[in-house]
Structure formats: structure tokens, C-alpha cells
Amino acid sequence: MNDFLAGKPARRAVLGTSLTAGTVAALTACGGGQEPAASPSAEAEATEATTTDKLPVGGRASVDLKGHNYLLYRPDETTVLAYSAVCTHEGCQVGVGSKVFQCPCHGSEFAFEDGARVAGPAKDPLPSYRAVIEGDKVLVYL
Ligand code: FES
């Protein structure tokens, strides 16, 4: 298990529900002020998000954990990245596009690889969470 580096996505990170590689999650409406759990901390606890068969290499997913939405991306066999799905512009729910995470409200886009803003009015990246693959489970620390 790798350590989470403050402000950077953890390698072997994860979250999960049920999307597969190439799947485009339906974009959802504004989150209405939904706030994700606090940023990763030493007290964060592992939450099973999905299983590796449901998040294959290259797969992206939008998952609901503890009442909040998170975004997952699995760039390789042993790495999973997890982000808050709350847009850093005005709080809408960010969804999974074919090449980037996309906010339907004003068009901000965020990179799968690090949550960085790549287009639109948002200035900040999506907050990242430590995530790991343990056996066939994808765990996110919330
Ligand atoms: S709330 Fe996401 S781009 Fe404005």
C-alpha cells in the first residue's frame, strides 16, 4: 500500500462501483452544494468502493460512497486514483467523459491522471483521495 502524498493522487488508489473501461457515466445535475468528505488525512478509513473486475485498467467510474460522489480512474494494473466529484467551480456534480471528467454546468474539464483542470471556468483541480488495490478490492480512504 502506498502512502498518500498531500495534494497528489495516491498510486494504486481507487473507488468504485460499476463502470468499465470506455464507459461514459451519465452526467448528473448540479450537486446543490454537496460537500465531499474531508480531504484525506491520517484518520481516514478505507472504504470499499468497487472490485477490480468492475474497474479494469483504463476504466473510469463515478461512485457513491458514504453519501457523496467520487470519481475513479485506473491507469494501470496496480494504480487507482480517486477524486471528489464536486466541481471546484460552483459545486456541480462532475461526471465521467470519454477523455476527461466533465462538469455539465459550465463546462469545466478535469484530467483523469491527476484531477487537474484542463478547460472551463474552474481554477482548482478536483481534490484527490488516497486509494489502493488490495486483492480484488478497490479501497478509498475517506
Ligand atoms: S460548477 Fe462546474 S464548471 Fe461551473
Side-chain angles (χ1 to χ4, degrees), residues 58-122:
R60 293 89 62 191
S62 176
V63 297
D64 182 29
L65 299 171
K66 297 185 175 182
H68 299 285
N69 279 67
Y70 297 89
L71 301 167
L72 304 176
Y73 172 55
R74 184 176 179 193
D76 59 45
E77 194 66 37
T78 60
T79 306
V80 179
L81 306 172
Y83 308 98
S84 166
V86 177
C87 184
T88 56
H89 178 228
E90 291 183 357
C92 287
Q93 195 74 47
V94 177
V96 180
S98 61
K99 296 183 178 176
V100 291
F101 294 120
Q102 298 176 317
C103 180
C105 292
H106 312 105
S108 286
E109 297 178 346
F110 303 90
F112 293 145
E113 295 79 10
D114 59 7
R117 172 216 167 264
V118 294

